[in-house]
Amino acid sequence: LSCKVLSSVVTPCYCFVSPQIRVKPDNTGVVTDGVKHSMNPFCEIAVEEAVKLKEKKLIKEVVAVSCGPQQSQETIRTALAMGADRGIHVDVSGKDYENLGPLQVSKILAALAKQEDAQLILLGKQAIDDDCNQTGQMTAALLDWPQGTFASEVSLEGDKINLVREIDGGLEHIKINTPAVITADLRLNTPRYATLPNIMKAKKKKIVTVKPADLGVDVTSRLEVLKVEEPPQRQAGMKVETVEDLVVKLKEAGRV
Amino acid sequence: KAVKLEQYFCSRYHQPKLKIKTEHATPQLYTALHRRACSTVSTPRITTHYTIHPRDKDPRWEGVEMERFADEADVVIVGGGPAGLAAAIRLKQLANKHEKELRVCLVEKAPQIGAHTLSGACLEPSALTELIPDWKERGAPLNTPVTEDVFSILTEKYRIPVPILPGLPMQNHGNYIVRMGNLVRWLGEQAEELGVELYPGYAAAEVLFHEDGSVKGIATNDVGIAKDGSPKDIFERGMELHAKVTLFGEGCHGHLAKQLYNKFNLRENCEPQTYAIGLKELWMIDEKKWRPGRVEHSVGWPLDRNTYGGSFLYHLNEGEPLVALGFVVGLDYTNPYLSPFREFQRWKHHPFVAPTLEGGQRIAYGARALNEGGCQSIPKLTFPGGLLIGCSPGFMNVPKIKGTHTAMKSGMLAAEAIFPKLTAETLDSETAGLHVPEYAENLKNSWVWKELYAVRNIRPSFHNYFGLYGGMIYTGIFYWIFRGKEPWTLKHCGTDANQLKPAKECTPIEYPKPDGKISFDLLSSVALSGTNHEGDQPPHLTLKDDSIPVARNLGIYDGPEQRFCPAGVYEYVPLDTGNGMRLQINAQNCVHCKTCDIKDPSQNINWVVPEGGGGPAYNGM
């Protein structure tokens, strides 16, 4: 299968080692100023898979895409250091970035896929800041392409893709046609480190910046966030000696 | 209860391995009982790092490709803090002014510039103004000019106000309260704009030498080594960065600097460095309590008069009621039962401090060692191929509790001394690595030295019978009146590690339990620091001898590392066989403060740099 591959690098998101995320005082969102941003771990796995496929000579080119403000270029650089060939930065900043959700991102990716004539889109299964798990599926729908989500094994066979998906019931084996969208799950591979020599070489690889409007995509959000609040504080538990005590307490609390 | 404990541990009952830190209610009783039960059972292997167990003799490493990719720069700077960045900026400013090409590469172990920065801080803007005169227009985050300066001596219930007369070192008129992490991040942006190559997330792990013994550059850390020291599939060697001259700005007690001191005998004519540990929290307080620009310092309670230390509380003015507060304890303390973290937590309950925090919310925590040796402890600053800048050699003005302005100036002086040599027609150097002794001379002639010389006797003056009060009187007379011109220079009393008295000569300290509103437990604090490390790597807190902690640290000093580590890295837990204890190192908790390397009475702990990108995730600390 020789084709261009669009490897999607999702917007840089809060790395899970961030200190406690705080809700903004006006409850409109979370504080993002200065919080450590880096590549979504599932997207790292997707990039690694794309680079592996290229190393096996099954695909011709890996293009890394990220949507977000200027800083998201660092995420693209990391993908380039891991082995992607070139990058596309879709510049979305300020209020537009705060409202950027899966629907807008998938519209952008669909437009880019058509523009780049891609045959395969690889994404992480979900972003660890919003846990939406929607972008891959929506992109496939917009392009009317088959999708292989939660992939834990990917192999190319001619112009079809064999996929093993991790589902609640176990492992599902499917075969899908190309062009297709694949989202990566945790056990697909172990991403390589982006070592310093590769980061330096990546500085020479090209990153092109485009605006959503250039792709004919309107990023206005269809959703309005009403309120963001912290989860309720965990209440202390209570120990009871007998089952009868338990029933009494449950009745008292109005739970039974 | 005591008998029950003894029976429990002396039995051969098999215990599951403890992975989570448990806060023992009476640690002293527990371990005291235990000292008798410490067996001569062979010590379980703790240290697996290749600096202690070399890989060339390790069969698991046979055939592994150890070749490293190398690149050349003109200058390599280790450490992206105020000193390193100031040096980088100054170098590029000079290069642009004289229209010369200069490749300056800076490596920093934090994942982002500023993520490992922790400081009070009240910044004296002198060095910044020298470096970037239009810092205000460029948006430097100096948003809070100091409006009031309050100094107190605290007793358990009361407060004695101390007037801050003009001329005293702790007077802050003209200074700014800053969130140092944000300032460092801004400096990083300025450096990048000027063309400095910044590489956060890559730690300098090794110093490289030319054949003639001069410094050739550094190598970044290897990645992909498993916890037991064996290579993983994704193992990759670090990269070598060669330079004509390398600047080491690792901050207080840098691990590469430690090696350089030995290699080049840089400390033969100076006193050992003395240190303190600073713990800090950021609090969002009730708006009614917020007094933007207010600077509060205290000494006294809860420390006794012979333990150096004190507190700070600064009201920031950046649009929200944010307060930076913290506690500093001199690491020359003698009681192994002292816990700097718990002193900090109980200080917050003082009637003068608690009202400010009531109704507020803690949003950040962190800790870092700082140097207190002053000019008596400054080592030789230059050696063939390299220079030491910033808090690494240590330019902190202790009574002012400020070291950033001097660190930045040292970086700038280093850059100014190196530049003409780098761009000279012929490389005027006997060694392959450039030797730039002019840096040290220029520093001695600059305001940095004058300032440090004037306050040189203040910290050592605390070593007298009256402790804190003797020191304050000394400061009042000799600094305020005589401006440090007295003809003598007092000495420190040796290394901090040697100051601990054996546990049996000391009394355990009864600390109050944290109340969860103003004071907190250690683990929830560590969580707030955002620290994390790749779990599957050799612990970077390496022990030269794995058997010494139980034999000596626990045996004689009752395991002080359990108390001085602000991140809960060190725990003495019962052996699986039930007889005796072992040291458990929770390396993932480490916040890179370096206190253990400094205070270990056996000097057995050697902190080395973990995989780059790990460590705390401070945000504007």
Side-chain angles (χ1 to χ4, degrees), chain A residues 168-187:
Chain A
D168 287 344
L171 297 173
E172 185 186 51
H173 296 252
I174 61 170
K175 197 186 272 220
I176 57 177
N177 293 325
T178 53
V181 174
I182 299 179
T183 73
D185 205 328
L186 190 61
R187 280 156 280 272

Side-chain angles (χ1 to χ4, degrees), chain B residues 388-405:
Chain B
L388 298 171
I389 57 175
C391 276
S392 180
F395 300 113
M396 202 175 103
N397 181 329
V398 179
K400 264 193 192 175
I401 19 174
K402 290 178 179 49
T404 311
H405 62 308

Side-chain angles (χ1 to χ4, degrees), chain A residues 6-7 9-12 63-77 80 86-94 97 100 108-109 112 115-116 205-215:
Chain A
L6 199 81
S7 169
V9 178
V10 181
T11 47
V63 181
V65 176
S66 192
C67 309
Q70 179 69 14
Q71 295 90 305
S72 40
Q73 290 207 8
E74 277 163 42
T75 314
I76 304 182
R77 287 265 172 245
L80 293 173
R86 57 188 169 87
I88 301 178
H89 167 224
V90 182
D91 192 10
V92 183
S93 33
Y97 177 62
L100 195 68
I108 291 172
L109 291 179
L112 275 172
Q115 184 187 289
E116 296 284 325
K205 295 187 185 174
K206 274 194 82 177
I207 299 182
V208 165
T209 306
V210 297
K211 288 216 167 294
D214 303 340
L215 300 164

Side-chain angles (χ1 to χ4, degrees), chain A residues 16-20 22 25 31-38 74 190-201 203 230, chain B residues 69 71 103 107 111-112 185 199 202 220 223-224 232 234 236 239 241 284 320 361 363 527-528 530 532 534 611 613 617 619:
Chain A
F16 55 83
V17 295
S18 270
Q20 280 180 6
R22 283 185 293 138
V31 177
T32 57
D33 259 342
V35 176
K36 181 170 151 186
H37 284 58
S38 55
E74 277 163 42
T190 310
R192 65 196 66 190
Y193 286 89
T195 55
L196 189 53
N198 289 334
I199 292 270
M200 288 180 170
K201 285 189 202 136
K203 293 212 167 181
E230 283 193 19
Chain B
F69 183 78
D71 203 358
R103 186 174 181 206
V107 288
Q112 284 162 211
R185 191 168 62 213
Y199 296 112
Y202 295 96
T220 58
V223 291
K232 294 195 274 201
I234 40 173
E236 277 210 50
M239 171 178 166
L241 273 173
M284 201 63 94
E320 37 179 19
Q361 203 206 358
I363 59 169
L528 271 188
N532 200 2
E534 162 60 53
E611 270 181 25
N619 180 8

Side-chain angles (χ1 to χ4, degrees), chain B residues 374-431:
Chain B
C375 59
Q376 292 94 315
S377 302
I378 297 178
K380 258 213 318 255
L381 296 168
T382 66
F383 41 91
L387 288 76
L388 298 171
I389 57 175
C391 276
S392 180
F395 300 113
M396 202 175 103
N397 181 329
V398 179
K400 264 193 192 175
I401 19 174
K402 290 178 179 49
T404 311
H405 62 308
T406 46
M408 285 177 70
K409 181 65 175 171
S410 73
M412 289 152 65
L413 287 169
E416 286 157 12
I418 301 171
F419 184 73
K421 291 202 131 170
L422 279 176
T423 51
E425 286 295 314
T426 44
L427 216 56
D428 162 36
S429 180
E430 288 166 5
T431 49

Side-chain angles (χ1 to χ4, degrees), chain B residues 122 145-152 159 161-175 177 291-298 312-314 352 399-402:
Chain B
C122 257
V146 174
T147 55
E148 32 170 347
D149 229 328
V150 172
F151 198 94
S152 328
R159 164 193 175 244
V162 174
I164 304 282
L165 306 160
L168 275 175
M170 44 293 286
Q171 208 231 4
N172 275 300
H173 182 69
N175 296 336
I177 305 173
R291 313 265 282 276
R294 180 177 165 97
V295 161
E296 290 176 27
H297 290 117
S298 83
F312 64 89
L313 198 152
Y314 305 146
F352 186 62
K400 264 193 192 175
I401 19 174
K402 290 178 179 49

